[in-house]
Amino acid sequence: SQQGEEDPQALSIQEGENATMNCSYKTSINNLQWYRQNSGRGLVHLILIRSNEREKHSGRLRVTLDTSKKSSSLLITASRAADTASYFCATDREETSGSRLTFGEGTQLTVNP
Amino acid sequence: GAGVSQTPSNKVTEKGKYVELRCDPISGHTALYWYRQSLGQGPEFLIYFQGTGAADDSGLPNDRFFAVRPEGSVSTLKIQRTERGDSAVYLCASSFIRNSPLHFGNGTRLTVT
């Protein structure tokens, strides 16, 4: 069953703008990860944030985690047309530690040139 | 190869037939996962291998689904008596150790007619 819920389901922006995607989850986690998927391809890992971390940066990506609200956000700054893809959050839940990631339903991001 | 390889990339089969989907993980990765992804959804966990053994097969939907990893490297997902509802993209992922980020293949698109 899906643990995470992303919003929005779809987001369309202009090149150069920032894109923010949100993820909520239900149970206690060890870490939360964000993945990207281009159409017809597999998922690519972007960033991992542990349950004791609040914010993490990687290049143009910024991830926040609020365990009290069971939510995370992914910010992509200065977006590019090549950022067009689906973005998924995935949780490594304490109860199933390491044996699986539980994915949300994803946000479809379109960056218009 | 450098990444996770899945074959075939596409498989069309008739209802009731048997299919095998193959996954070649990244060399040296001890953990291997199978996921299933329906259109517009996030990946859904099926099974996790640590080495040769299935450490968690709780995501397999029913006993028509079975997976093996006899030598701790290549894995095969086997589906008996296929049904139209089995149509989906089957994704394989591997990781160096449990709890580390997943590396996905491009998937096998299974269509049951």
Side-chain angles (χ1 to χ4, degrees), chain A residues 2 33 35 37 40-43 45 48 88 92 97-101 103-105, chain B residues 33 35 37 40-43 45 48 56 58-59 91 98-99 101-102 104-106:
Chain A
Q2 301 291 345
Q33 303 178 33
Y35 287 78
Q37 185 178 33
R41 309 282 288 183
L43 285 79
H45 177 260
L48 180 154
F88 296 91
D92 177 6
S97 179
S99 75
R100 67 177 75 179
L101 292 179
F103 286 84
E105 297 191 353
Chain B
Y33 306 79
Y35 283 81
Q37 187 176 28
Q41 302 290 312
F45 171 78
Y48 155 61
D56 183 351
S58 60
L91 295 165
R98 174 176 158 153
N99 288 331
L102 302 186
F104 281 85
N106 287 331

Side-chain angles (χ1 to χ4, degrees), chain B residues 7-21 79 82-84 86-88 90 108-113:
Chain B
T7 54
S9 56
N10 281 284
K11 177 71 177 177
V12 180
T13 190
E14 291 180 350
K15 180 175 179 293
K17 298 288 189 185
Y18 167 82
V19 295
E20 290 190 351
L21 312 180
I79 311 174
T82 52
E83 300 177 356
R84 292 193 181 88
D86 298 335
S87 296
Y90 289 80
T108 294
R109 181 175 299 278
L110 176 66
T111 303
V112 182
T113 63

Side-chain angles (χ1 to χ4, degrees), chain A residues 5-36:
Chain A
E5 293 182 3
E6 281 103 328
D7 78 271
Q9 289 187 325
L11 179 62
S12 182
I13 61 174
Q14 295 300 122
E15 224 171 10
E17 293 180 339
N18 295 341
T20 299
M21 289 161 269
N22 303 297
C23 166
S24 61
Y25 57 92
K26 297 186 176 73
T27 63
S28 296
I29 62 172
N30 295 312
N31 64 67
L32 184 145
Q33 303 178 33
W34 285 90
Y35 287 78
R36 163 197 169 123

Side-chain angles (χ1 to χ4, degrees), chain A residues 1-111:
Chain A
S1 62
Q2 301 291 345
Q3 147 111 308
E5 293 182 3
E6 281 103 328
D7 78 271
Q9 289 187 325
L11 179 62
S12 182
I13 61 174
Q14 295 300 122
E15 224 171 10
E17 293 180 339
N18 295 341
T20 299
M21 289 161 269
N22 303 297
C23 166
S24 61
Y25 57 92
K26 297 186 176 73
T27 63
S28 296
I29 62 172
N30 295 312
N31 64 67
L32 184 145
Q33 303 178 33
W34 285 90
Y35 287 78
R36 163 197 169 123
Q37 185 178 33
N38 287 82
S39 181
R41 309 282 288 183
L43 285 79
V44 175
H45 177 260
L46 295 176
I47 196 164
L48 180 154
I49 186 164
R50 301 188 192 286
S51 60
N52 61 353
E53 297 176 311
R54 292 296 166 257
E55 187 170 312
K56 205 158 182 183
H57 297 255
S58 176
R60 294 184 296 114
L61 305 181
R62 173 180 171 252
V63 168
T64 62
L65 179 64
D66 186 333
T67 53
S68 67
K69 294 181 179 177
K70 291 187 168 59
S71 67
S72 173
S73 68
L74 171 68
L75 168 68
I76 303 174
T77 60
S79 64
R80 305 166 181 168
D83 294 330
T84 294
S86 291
Y87 291 81
F88 296 91
C89 70
T91 52
D92 177 6
R93 300 188 295 186
E94 282 186 359
E95 65 195 43
T96 57
S97 179
S99 75
R100 67 177 75 179
L101 292 179
T102 304
F103 286 84
E105 297 191 353
T107 293
Q108 172 61 51
L109 173 67
T110 302
V111 181

